[in-house]
Amino acid sequence: MRQIQVKEFQILPGDFRENTLKLRKLLDECRACEEETEILFEEGVYHFYPDYAEEKLLYISNHDEDTIKKIAFDLTGCRNLTLRGNKTEFRFHTDILPFYIHSCENVTVEGITIDFQRTGYSEAVIRELEPKRMVMEINKEEYPYEILHGRLFFRGENFFCEMTHGCLEMDAERMAPVYMGHDISFNRPYSWSYGAVFKELSEGLVEVTLMGDREFLKTSKVGNHLILRHHARTHPAFYVIYSKNTVLRDIMLYHCTGMAVIAQFDENLTMERFDIRIHPVKKRVFTVTADGFHCIYCKGQILIKDCFLENQLDDPVNIHGIYGRIHKVLSDSEVLVELVEGMQKGVPLGKSGETFGVINNETMLDVSAEVLAEHKMLNRDYQYMRFAKPVKGLQEGFVVENKDYAPDVLVEGCTFQNNRARGLLLTSAGEVIVRDNTFRSAGAAILIEGDSNYWFESGATKSILLEKNRFIDCAYVPDWGEAPIQVSPSAKKYEDGVRYHKYLEIRDNDFYCFDDRLVSAQNIEEICMYGNRIHKTDSFEPIPGEKMKLEGVLRVTDQPHR
Amino acid sequence: MRQIQVKEFQILPGDFRENTLKLRKLLDECRACEEETEILFEEGVYHFYPDYAEEKLLYISNHDEDTIKKIAFDLTGCRNLTLRGNKTEFRFHTDILPFYIHSCENVTVEGITIDFQRTGYSEAVIRELEPKRMVMEINKEEYPYEILHGRLFFRGENFFCEMTHGCLEMDAERMAPVYMGHDISFNRPYSWSYGAVFKELSEGLVEVTLMGDREFLKTSKVGNHLILRHHARTHPAFYVIYSKNTVLRDIMLYHCTGMAVIAQFDENLTMERFDIRIHPVKKRVFTVTADGFHCIYCKGQILIKDCFLENQLDDPVNIHGIYGRIHKVLSDSEVLVELVEGMQKGVPLGKSGETFGVINNETMLDVSAEVLAEHKMLNRDYQYMRFAKPVKGLQEGFVVENKDYAPDVLVEGCTFQNNRARGLLLTSAGEVIVRDNTFRSAGAAILIEGDSNYWFESGATKSILLEKNRFIDCAYVPDWGEAPIQVSPSAKKYEDGVRYHKYLEIRDNDFYCFDDRLVSAQNIEEICMYGNRIHKTDSFEPIPGEKMKLEGVLRVTDQPHR
């Protein structure tokens, strides 16, 4: 095994713009080498700037902007490579994608702390509050801003963005989303966004005055923190695609301008002791600006073990496929398929030889399964598919789903807390086990969806086991969930005796609840529950709702299948 | 010779989204065919939508947004191909690049009228005017808009853009830029932009109120037209690159969201009877949203003959190279070169085997000329260059210029009128002849620049002849020019007996002038003038200035070199 100390390539701890350039040389060598290789970083803070970085056109799913992006660690084509830190921090400078793991095999990244010099979001504290007027305090050194023409702009290292993406209020004591709160935004080009005029009262004190008859939320409070979203969701920390056996271990991530990990079409992916935490010194109330671990069309095993995720701006885990909508039936074996959801654009849904389900978009049940004989991207919106033989029932509006990607999932020993939105979004037809985790989720802790008409996230599940987890005061923001456990595929039409989801087992969990709600489920064949303990808390005012809200569920049992 | 009627491919006149898809099939066949081919369009209006269009990552010089763009006619790799219309109009739908002529040889496009269904800009008429308040009338059917949070947005077929790019006032009687006017903009993120609040008074009547102590221009007038710029400069009508012997003939272009033609690294390019005109029915006061014909690093001959260009939003002709700035000297034969100007990003400055000048950025004079041995794009900002042998005098801040691209230029029999900005921008080291044209330019009709510190447009000229042209009331907007003929390279440091530009001959022209100004010139060795006629007009109030304003000009003669 070959070991490379990065200092051999003059990559040094410290604030050096040239590190990125030298890294390209090092990685080119690794790419060309078949031997097992370890790249070793010493203790220290290594800076990586976009200036000399590799630049590639990336259609990153569930992120904004399908365009060229700069990349620090472009591991494309690497095999048998471990990148290891030792009390090592990587400090990135916007805009840059820290890790691009493309067509790799047996790549491990471990022992690295990741942060950004200037975050893509900023933060404020509410100092004064009236129905139509707020004064917020902003640390201008940490979050430099300017007000021009009554508009609030934030300045970064390579950006100058108006604050229109949104604003989320966080409870000052709990450092978590406000109970019964809502997402709001200022001056977005929609009528439901809050029109607002900004004015600097003094250095770091900004007055916000609402236009028209809009008022601030009743849930707002002086002293609370505001997460000011002014950067698009552009750069995850890890973009893993078409790779096998990727391991991300002992990672500490404080911030990036996207998801922690977005994985597409990967086989076997491990996140172990991968933490997303509030920065211990900066104490920012936000971590990453979108989801934690988001896996699209993966297979093999997804292992999420002993991770701690908090305060990110979207769900900690989301595992699903993509439904492509049949836009045109060209012949009895040829279709034009459309990617409808804006963030999914440009994702090829598969390749020839893979099996696709053709699915009725109303019942979301399979009509047939066919082998793809030819595939071609027309552009980011449309892809051409030819099936190996004529298909009965091809119909515009129906959807297709790649059936070759249904990973087994094990989520174990993790904590998920205080983030915006939900907890685990699990829609994989593989064996899914969620064991011994702690949830403090503002929305549903477990959400099992599937939607063929709006978000186009697939697919139908077969077996999900939730055991020995602790669900603590979850679902306190109704916008993000109806109950701690929620099953809610979008299909509202059922066929006799068949449901979209199959089997959910909930056993030996501890539920700490401030009201009655436990499960809200639709369109699933069987829910099996036993051995769970319910503990009453008085953390929040109760939210109305029954313990078990069921609709279109065929069976509720206490006899497990296994 | 093969002739193809497009209807053989089911491409039909009419509003059909499928035309673009069928066109791809047709062009794929042409690409594969070596035989000389004519593609024939019948009379009628053919619509081309972006939906099924080819999509490519394009770094179009002097345009915004280096990203993926949809393309209607992707002629990449075509040879010996003529595309011919017969009373044929192509109606494009935003956002789409009509023609991409890449790595082509002997491609001719002729007999086509081009327009867009919904223009990228909109138009208004000033109905009321006070120092801080204006009421403008907008044809809401033609230019659909919405006002949200006091901001003005325009809706297009695939866009919804705030009107912040700028606003140009056009004289209602002359349908030309206002005498002594200025470009203004509303709510751009700069302090010098006008803060403004918009309000709809009634259907199609919009009130604009200025914030702070700003007032509307003194030159503004009720009844004048406003060109409202709300679309980035993204899609030229023709993008011609790495091609040889391209002919664009009998083209009538009414609109596109960029330049009419942007050409990069082409050999022999002809624009003949290529008109850019005000739409005869719509009577929009604007045509294309940027320059007419813009040629960067071309060679062979550029022929612009019998063209009529009016009311575009930037210069009708601009011919130049690009200076790359030496960012880092890596060794005595290796440099990192930076593209500084935002719109030039991503343009490779040449390839190995080509000769580069190394140029002192202060004097703008050549230090040496070297053969490029290796070239590599690091990203859109930086490129690596290795010269064949060690170079003396490599210095950070110096610039490099590709010397293999210096086209001869003939501009003959054309009319250039009423556009924003200047007339012909001519900086080619080839033989440049401008003969028998009519200019009604708001700025300088002829501008010979070169700049190595700000715009980075090269280069030094050797011989320019202006003969038998008519310059009619030019240079009435001082922001865009000092005199009808202007020579103004940016270098202010001279070496003894040497100048940046060499020889400008001005003979047998007719100047119709409303004041004394004729020529303003710096940093040129010789100006030769004879046989010109000056006619006094009273079209505008005189603007102060001398007939010949010279600085650093070595000789003014009346004895031609040829």
Side-chain angles (χ1 to χ4, degrees):
Chain A
M1 190 181 64
R2 189 179 172 209
Q3 284 199 326
I4 302 172
Q5 298 282 350
V6 295
K7 63 183 169 192
E8 297 165 28
F9 282 75
Q10 288 80 51
I11 300 168
L12 302 169
D15 194 358
F16 302 116
R17 280 179 195 259
E18 290 73 16
N19 274 345
T20 315
L21 186 60
K22 289 164 183 165
L23 183 60
R24 292 176 71 156
K25 191 159 180 286
L26 166 57
L27 294 176
D28 282 342
E29 283 202 17
C30 294
R31 222 182 315 276
C33 166
E34 269 298 305
E35 201 188 347
E36 198 180 332
T37 303
E38 281 190 0
I39 301 178
L40 302 172
F41 287 81
E42 292 184 351
E43 184 172 342
V45 180
Y46 294 76
H47 286 254
F48 295 100
Y49 285 85
D51 306 44
Y52 309 126
E54 179 65 76
E55 186 173 67
K56 289 188 169 170
L57 171 60
L58 301 177
Y59 297 85
I60 308 178
S61 189
N62 293 75
H63 282 73
D64 297 322
E65 297 180 3
D66 295 324
T67 185
I68 46 169
K69 304 202 173 178
K70 295 228 164 88
I71 306 164
F73 288 80
D74 178 12
L75 305 182
T76 301
C78 285
R79 296 159 62 92
N80 308 316
L81 179 70
T82 296
L83 203 147
R84 180 174 296 137
N86 171 20
K87 296 179 188 160
T88 301
E89 180 181 335
F90 290 169
R91 187 83 56 82
F92 294 95
H93 296 258
T94 51
D95 283 331
I96 198 164
L97 170 58
F99 289 91
Y100 182 42
I101 299 174
H102 179 288
S103 301
C104 292
E105 209 172 315
N106 306 324
V107 161
T108 297
V109 179
E110 60 182 19
I112 307 289
T113 292
I114 296 172
D115 197 18
F116 274 75
Q117 182 72 19
R118 162 60 165 119
T119 52
Y121 285 0
S122 297
E123 192 176 332
V125 177
I126 302 176
R127 290 300 177 209
E128 293 178 39
L129 186 62
E130 296 162 38
K132 299 182 67 63
R133 178 181 172 274
M134 177 188 277
V135 176
M136 55 189 192
E137 185 179 346
I138 302 172
N139 179 339
K140 205 168 180 175
E141 203 168 312
E142 200 71 29
Y143 305 116
Y145 67 84
E146 285 175 47
I147 293 175
L148 291 167
H149 323 306
R151 303 176 179 205
L152 177 58
F153 295 84
F154 282 93
R155 190 174 289 287
E157 294 183 287
N158 280 294
F159 63 79
F160 186 68
C161 300
E162 192 182 354
M163 205 276 288
T164 58
H165 282 81
C167 176
L168 180 68
E169 187 170 327
M170 300 288 276
D171 185 286
E173 313 223 321
R174 297 168 39 250
M175 290 290 261
V178 165
Y179 167 75
M180 297 284 279
H182 300 280
D183 283 305
I184 68 165
S185 67
F186 296 114
N187 298 318
R188 291 208 85 167
Y190 314 122
S191 58
W192 59 87
S193 184
Y194 289 46
V197 176
F198 296 85
K199 186 180 163 191
E200 186 168 50
L201 301 179
S202 62
E203 181 88 359
L205 271 192
V206 173
E207 181 189 68
V208 194
T209 307
L210 296 187
M211 297 161 86
D213 52 4
R214 301 304 288 266
E215 296 191 353
F216 286 106
L217 297 172
K218 300 282 180 239
T219 51
S220 282
K221 221 172 88 176
V222 167
N224 278 352
H225 293 245
L226 296 173
I227 302 172
L228 305 174
R229 308 175 75 167
H230 50 73
H231 194 289
R233 179 197 282 205
T234 53
H235 293 76
F238 292 86
Y239 181 27
V240 188
I241 178 166
Y242 302 129
S243 294
K244 193 171 169 180
N245 305 335
T246 304
V247 178
L248 310 177
R249 188 188 286 132
D250 294 315
I251 303 290
M252 176 67 75
L253 173 62
Y254 295 127
H255 180 72
C256 65
T257 57
M259 297 176 175
V261 178
I262 171 81
Q264 293 172 221
F265 292 94
D266 295 303
E267 182 172 350
N268 302 332
L269 173 64
T270 296
M271 272 75 66
E272 194 178 358
R273 296 186 298 278
F274 187 134
D275 290 2
I276 304 173
R277 284 185 189 260
I278 288 179
H279 195 287
V281 177
K282 303 270 182 187
K283 301 279 186 202
R284 302 168 199 134
V285 72
F286 59 89
T287 56
V288 305
T289 68
D291 307 41
F293 310 138
H294 197 120
C295 304
I296 292 165
Y297 276 142
C298 289
K299 65 182 179 181
Q301 197 195 36
I302 297 174
L303 174 61
I304 300 173
K305 195 163 162 38
D306 300 333
C307 298
F308 186 101
L309 278 67
E310 65 180 352
N311 289 66
Q312 72 280 1
L313 267 289
D314 218 328
D315 318 310
V317 174
N318 191 348
I319 295 165
H320 63 93
I322 294 175
Y323 286 126
R325 183 165 67 186
I326 297 179
H327 171 74
K328 257 186 205 305
V329 178
L330 301 173
S331 75
D332 61 3
S333 65
E334 294 170 298
V335 288
L336 270 194
V337 170
E338 182 179 8
L339 294 172
V340 185
E341 215 295 298
M343 285 197 185
Q344 293 166 352
K345 299 284 184 185
V347 177
L349 293 179
K351 51 186 191 294
S352 60
E354 294 177 343
T355 299
F356 274 71
V358 176
I359 293 156
N360 179 320
N361 64 307
E362 291 199 345
T363 62
M364 284 168 64
L365 299 177
D366 288 23
V367 175
S368 66
E370 306 296 334
V371 174
L372 194 62
E374 192 184 343
H375 178 267
K376 200 186 143 191
M377 293 300 285
L378 234 59
N379 52 40
R380 69 196 277 272
D381 301 304
Y382 297 99
Q383 44 203 293
Y384 167 84
M385 291 188 184
R386 183 170 60 78
F387 299 108
K389 56 181 183 58
V391 182
K392 273 191 194 143
L394 286 181
Q395 192 174 310
E396 286 166 19
F398 277 17
V399 293
V400 297
E401 182 191 18
N402 191 331
K403 295 291 188 187
D404 281 17
Y405 296 84
D408 295 330
V409 178
L410 173 59
V411 182
E412 191 171 37
C414 299
T415 295
F416 305 105
Q417 66 179 26
N418 302 339
N419 58 284
R420 180 187 166 280
R422 293 77 52 101
L424 314 186
L425 275 63
L426 302 168
T427 40
S428 172
E431 195 67 32
V432 178
I433 300 173
V434 177
R435 180 188 291 142
D436 188 24
N437 304 286
T438 301
F439 294 87
R440 288 185 195 87
S441 307
I446 304 290
L447 179 58
I448 302 162
E449 284 209 297
D451 168 73
S452 60
N453 293 292
Y454 186 61
W455 286 108
F456 292 88
E457 297 189 352
S458 67
T461 65
K462 290 185 180 136
S463 167
I464 298 183
L465 169 64
L466 312 178
E467 66 168 338
K468 298 183 184 163
N469 300 288
R470 289 156 300 283
F471 296 97
I472 305 175
D473 293 326
C474 295
Y476 60 83
V477 177
D479 285 359
W480 302 328
E482 299 167 5
I485 315 288
Q486 180 175 336
V487 182
S488 53
S490 67
K492 299 289 177 260
K493 269 195 183 172
Y494 306 138
E495 284 185 12
D496 264 3
V498 187
R499 290 295 180 266
Y500 183 68
H501 293 301
K502 298 303 171 198
Y503 178 71
L504 169 64
E505 185 174 327
I506 307 172
R507 74 164 179 232
D508 298 332
N509 298 284
D510 285 282
F511 288 89
Y512 297 82
C513 297
F514 59 92
D515 57 25
D516 296 334
R517 298 167 306 143
L518 219 61
V519 174
S520 171
Q522 303 149 31
N523 203 350
I524 181 167
E525 296 187 357
E526 179 171 350
I527 297 178
C528 169
M529 288 183 77
Y530 62 99
N532 299 293
R533 287 164 298 276
I534 299 174
H535 315 268
K536 280 280 163 196
T537 77
D538 56 2
S539 306
F540 301 112
E541 284 289 302
I543 294 174
E546 344 159 41
K547 179 178 173 190
M548 302 286 287
K549 186 183 163 205
L550 306 177
E551 194 240 297
V553 178
L554 296 187
R555 291 178 296 283
V556 177
T557 71
D558 56 6
Q559 297 298 318
H561 280 199
R562 56 196 113 192
Chain B
M1 191 181 64
R2 188 179 173 210
Q3 284 198 327
I4 302 173
Q5 297 283 349
V6 296
K7 64 182 168 192
E8 297 166 28
F9 283 74
Q10 289 81 51
I11 300 167
L12 303 170
D15 193 357
F16 302 117
R17 281 180 194 257
E18 291 73 15
N19 273 345
T20 314
L21 187 60
K22 290 165 183 165
L23 182 62
R24 291 176 72 157
K25 190 159 180 284
L26 166 59
L27 294 176
D28 281 344
E29 283 202 16
C30 293
R31 223 183 314 278
C33 166
E34 270 298 305
E35 200 188 346
E36 198 180 333
T37 304
E38 281 190 359
I39 301 178
L40 303 172
F41 286 80
E42 290 183 353
E43 184 172 343
V45 181
Y46 294 75
H47 287 254
F48 294 101
Y49 285 86
D51 305 44
Y52 309 126
E54 178 65 78
E55 186 173 68
K56 289 188 169 171
L57 171 60
L58 301 176
Y59 297 86
I60 309 178
S61 189
N62 292 77
H63 282 73
D64 296 322
E65 297 180 4
D66 295 325
T67 186
I68 46 169
K69 304 202 174 179
K70 295 229 163 87
I71 305 164
F73 288 80
D74 178 11
L75 305 182
T76 301
C78 285
R79 296 159 62 91
N80 308 317
L81 178 72
T82 296
L83 203 147
R84 180 174 297 136
N86 170 22
K87 298 180 188 160
T88 301
E89 180 182 333
F90 290 170
R91 186 84 57 82
F92 294 96
H93 296 258
T94 53
D95 282 331
I96 198 163
L97 171 58
F99 289 91
Y100 182 42
I101 299 173
H102 179 288
S103 301
C104 291
E105 211 173 311
N106 307 324
V107 161
T108 297
V109 179
E110 60 182 18
I112 307 287
T113 293
I114 296 172
D115 197 17
F116 275 73
Q117 182 72 17
R118 162 60 166 120
T119 52
Y121 284 1
S122 297
E123 192 176 332
V125 177
I126 302 176
R127 289 301 178 208
E128 293 177 39
L129 186 63
E130 297 163 37
K132 298 182 67 62
R133 177 182 173 274
M134 178 188 276
V135 176
M136 56 190 192
E137 185 180 346
I138 302 172
N139 178 339
K140 205 168 180 175
E141 203 169 314
E142 199 72 29
Y143 306 116
Y145 66 85
E146 284 175 46
I147 293 175
L148 291 167
H149 322 307
R151 304 175 179 207
L152 177 58
F153 295 85
F154 282 93
R155 190 173 290 285
E157 293 184 287
N158 279 294
F159 63 78
F160 185 69
C161 299
E162 192 183 353
M163 205 276 289
T164 58
H165 282 81
C167 176
L168 180 68
E169 187 170 329
M170 301 288 276
D171 186 287
E173 313 223 320
R174 296 168 39 250
M175 290 288 263
V178 164
Y179 167 75
M180 298 284 279
H182 300 280
D183 282 306
I184 69 165
S185 67
F186 297 114
N187 298 318
R188 291 208 85 167
Y190 315 121
S191 58
W192 60 87
S193 183
Y194 289 46
V197 177
F198 296 85
K199 185 180 164 192
E200 186 168 50
L201 301 180
S202 62
E203 180 89 359
L205 270 193
V206 174
E207 181 189 67
V208 195
T209 309
L210 296 186
M211 298 161 87
D213 53 5
R214 302 302 290 265
E215 296 191 353
F216 286 106
L217 298 172
K218 300 282 179 241
T219 50
S220 281
K221 221 172 85 177
V222 167
N224 277 352
H225 293 244
L226 296 173
I227 301 173
L228 306 174
R229 307 175 75 166
H230 51 73
H231 193 290
R233 180 198 282 205
T234 53
H235 293 76
F238 292 86
Y239 181 28
V240 188
I241 178 167
Y242 301 129
S243 293
K244 194 171 168 179
N245 306 334
T246 304
V247 178
L248 310 176
R249 188 187 287 132
D250 295 314
I251 303 289
M252 176 69 73
L253 173 62
Y254 295 127
H255 180 72
C256 64
T257 57
M259 298 175 176
V261 177
I262 171 79
Q264 294 174 221
F265 292 93
D266 294 303
E267 182 173 349
N268 302 330
L269 173 65
T270 296
M271 271 77 65
E272 194 178 357
R273 296 186 298 277
F274 187 136
D275 290 2
I276 304 173
R277 285 185 189 259
I278 289 179
H279 194 288
V281 177
K282 304 269 183 187
K283 301 279 185 200
R284 302 168 199 134
V285 71
F286 59 89
T287 57
V288 304
T289 68
D291 306 43
F293 311 137
H294 198 120
C295 305
I296 292 164
Y297 276 141
C298 288
K299 64 184 181 182
Q301 197 195 36
I302 296 174
L303 173 61
I304 300 172
K305 195 163 162 39
D306 300 331
C307 298
F308 187 102
L309 278 69
E310 64 180 354
N311 289 66
Q312 72 280 1
L313 267 290
D314 218 328
D315 318 309
V317 174
N318 190 348
I319 295 165
H320 63 94
I322 294 175
Y323 287 126
R325 181 165 68 186
I326 297 178
H327 172 74
K328 259 187 203 307
V329 177
L330 301 173
S331 76
D332 61 2
S333 64
E334 294 170 298
V335 288
L336 269 193
V337 169
E338 183 179 8
L339 295 172
V340 185
E341 215 293 298
M343 285 198 186
Q344 293 165 354
K345 298 285 184 184
V347 177
L349 292 179
K351 52 186 191 293
S352 62
E354 294 178 342
T355 299
F356 274 72
V358 176
I359 293 155
N360 180 320
N361 64 308
E362 292 199 344
T363 62
M364 283 168 63
L365 298 176
D366 289 22
V367 175
S368 66
E370 305 296 334
V371 174
L372 194 62
E374 193 184 342
H375 179 267
K376 199 185 144 193
M377 292 301 284
L378 235 58
N379 51 40
R380 66 196 280 274
D381 301 305
Y382 297 99
Q383 44 204 293
Y384 167 85
M385 291 189 183
R386 184 170 60 78
F387 299 108
K389 56 183 185 57
V391 182
K392 273 192 194 141
L394 286 182
Q395 193 174 311
E396 286 165 20
F398 276 16
V399 293
V400 297
E401 183 191 18
N402 192 330
K403 295 292 189 187
D404 281 18
Y405 295 84
D408 295 331
V409 178
L410 174 59
V411 182
E412 191 171 36
C414 299
T415 296
F416 306 105
Q417 66 179 28
N418 303 339
N419 58 286
R420 180 187 166 280
R422 294 75 53 102
L424 314 186
L425 274 64
L426 302 167
T427 41
S428 172
E431 194 69 30
V432 177
I433 299 172
V434 177
R435 181 188 291 140
D436 187 26
N437 304 285
T438 301
F439 295 87
R440 288 185 194 86
S441 307
I446 305 290
L447 178 59
I448 303 162
E449 284 208 296
D451 168 73
S452 60
N453 293 291
Y454 186 60
W455 286 108
F456 292 87
E457 296 189 353
S458 69
T461 65
K462 290 186 180 137
S463 167
I464 297 182
L465 169 65
L466 313 176
E467 65 168 339
K468 298 182 183 162
N469 300 287
R470 289 156 300 282
F471 298 97
I472 303 174
D473 293 326
C474 295
Y476 59 83
V477 176
D479 284 0
W480 301 329
E482 300 167 5
I485 315 288
Q486 180 174 335
V487 182
S488 53
S490 67
K492 299 288 177 262
K493 268 196 182 173
Y494 307 138
E495 284 186 14
D496 264 5
V498 187
R499 290 296 181 266
Y500 182 67
H501 294 299
K502 298 303 171 198
Y503 179 71
L504 170 63
E505 186 175 326
I506 307 171
R507 75 164 178 231
D508 298 331
N509 298 283
D510 285 281
F511 288 89
Y512 298 81
C513 297
F514 59 91
D515 58 23
D516 295 336
R517 298 167 307 143
L518 219 60
V519 175
S520 171
Q522 302 150 31
N523 204 352
I524 182 168
E525 295 187 358
E526 179 171 348
I527 297 177
C528 169
M529 288 183 78
Y530 62 98
N532 299 293
R533 288 163 298 274
I534 300 174
H535 315 267
K536 280 282 166 198
T537 76
D538 56 3
S539 306
F540 301 113
E541 283 289 301
I543 294 174
E546 342 157 44
K547 180 178 174 191
M548 302 287 288
K549 187 183 164 206
L550 306 177
E551 194 239 295
V553 178
L554 295 187
R555 291 178 298 284
V556 176
T557 70
D558 56 8
Q559 296 297 318
H561 280 198
R562 54 197 110 190

